[in-house]
Amino acid sequence: MANRGGRRDVLQTLDDRELLRRYRLDRAGIMFVVDLLRDAITSPTRRHNAITPEKKVITTLRYLATGKMQQCSSDDLGLSQSSVSRVITQTLTALSQPNIVTQFVSFPLDARTLHTHKRAFMDIAGFPGVVGVIDGTHVRIIAPSEDEAVFVNRKNFHSINVQIVFNAACKILDIVAKWPGSTHDARMLSESGIRQLFERRYVPANCHLLGDSGYPCKPWLLTPYLQPRQGPQLNSYR
């Protein structure tokens, strides 16, 4: 089934199984994102052939699922390559606004939630006082036209180095996605909001993050012993 303008209405023609395969979300999930972004991505024009918020979200999800912009325009969605590019940019910009992100990604500061996180980590490895784990991950990008060299990471490909804090259930609590690939994890931490939360004591005492040896050891950030001695120092390696 196609609507006006020859654009296929995949929400009506595809079942949830096929929607999940193509877009990684079922109909309810797609409509959740649409309603979340509707005000921000609705076209101001009243033309009958304006691209709907549903079409914009579906196109963006297809791109995120495949990493190929060409796949979006060949999916019977009725959009030109230039329209696909504009739609993806508009939708991702709306999705990354602070008022949207903070609805789902927010480091807890209340004692009750932090206690829940501590208990969950304790259940995993008997490690007390841990409320989150911090690490960096490299997201590959196309070589930028400006400052290209700083985006080359230690594995010799272009990337954005993304700092992530997550809980015992692997839910993201804090994320910073702006640093070029050559940036060291410790540098990202030193200039991050999560450091400010701990050092200004917005996070209660006796709450800790776990990090690898790429981070400096701090009262609120526990890192491995580089040369552990026999006895208690080896416990964290078992």
Side-chain angles (χ1 to χ4, degrees):
M1 181 186 298
N3 54 24
R4 260 183 283 190
R7 296 169 184 161
R8 184 184 183 192
D9 189 348
V10 298
L11 291 175
Q12 297 300 322
T13 59
L14 302 180
D15 59 21
D16 275 351
R17 182 176 180 180
E18 185 63 16
L19 289 172
L20 279 168
R21 188 184 74 83
R22 289 177 179 239
Y23 308 108
R24 303 297 190 265
L25 293 176
D26 60 13
R27 188 180 189 282
I30 292 171
M31 291 310 302
F32 177 85
V33 178
V34 170
D35 291 338
L36 189 70
L37 303 180
R38 188 179 298 278
D39 290 344
I41 64 175
T42 297
S43 299
T45 179
R46 296 191 177 187
R47 294 182 304 171
H48 290 302
N49 62 344
I51 304 173
T52 65
E54 289 82 359
K55 192 71 63 180
K56 291 178 179 180
V57 168
I58 288 168
T59 300
T60 303
L61 290 174
R62 185 60 167 160
Y63 171 68
L64 294 175
T66 63
K68 298 177 181 178
M69 204 168 289
Q70 294 82 359
Q71 191 71 53
C72 304
S73 55
S74 65
D75 233 16
D76 296 329
L77 297 176
L79 301 181
S80 66
Q81 193 69 51
S82 59
S83 293
V84 167
S85 180
R86 288 194 300 271
V87 161
I88 292 172
T89 298
Q90 181 190 23
T91 306
L92 290 180
T93 298
L95 196 59
S96 60
Q97 293 303 301
N99 66 306
I100 299 295
V101 174
T102 54
Q103 293 183 45
F104 308 97
V105 180
S106 180
F107 193 86
L109 299 177
D110 62 287
R112 183 175 181 179
T113 303
L114 291 170
H115 177 73
T116 299
H117 289 339
K118 287 182 182 180
R119 186 171 56 195
F121 279 107
M122 190 73 174
D123 290 342
I124 291 174
F127 216 122
V130 176
V131 297
V133 174
I134 186 169
D135 202 359
T137 185
H138 287 273
V139 178
R140 187 185 294 267
I141 62 171
I142 296 172
S145 57
E146 297 182 6
D147 299 322
E148 177 267 341
V150 300
F151 288 89
V152 179
N153 62 34
R154 56 188 170 80
K155 295 185 178 179
N156 205 35
F157 64 86
H158 297 86
S159 69
I160 297 292
N161 196 359
V162 181
Q163 176 182 283
I164 300 175
V165 177
F166 53 94
N167 66 13
C170 296
K171 178 181 178 181
I172 295 175
L173 304 177
D174 186 79
I175 186 167
V176 179
K178 67 178 183 180
W179 291 97
S182 64
T183 309
H184 195 278
D185 288 352
R187 166 79 186 282
M188 294 195 297
L189 175 65
S190 70
E191 300 192 27
S192 69
I194 197 71
R195 181 182 73 87
Q196 297 292 334
L197 288 180
F198 277 92
E199 295 199 345
R200 295 184 179 182
R201 300 184 180 179
Y202 290 106
V203 181
N206 299 317
C207 291
H208 311 288
L209 297 180
L210 286 184
D212 62 24
S213 57
Y215 295 101
C217 187
K218 295 178 175 291
W220 49 270
L221 176 56
L222 307 180
T223 60
Y225 289 101
L226 296 179
Q227 295 179 324
R229 299 176 182 178
Q230 290 292 331
Q233 292 187 5
L234 282 172
N235 289 344
S236 60
Y237 291 85
R238 293 173 179 170

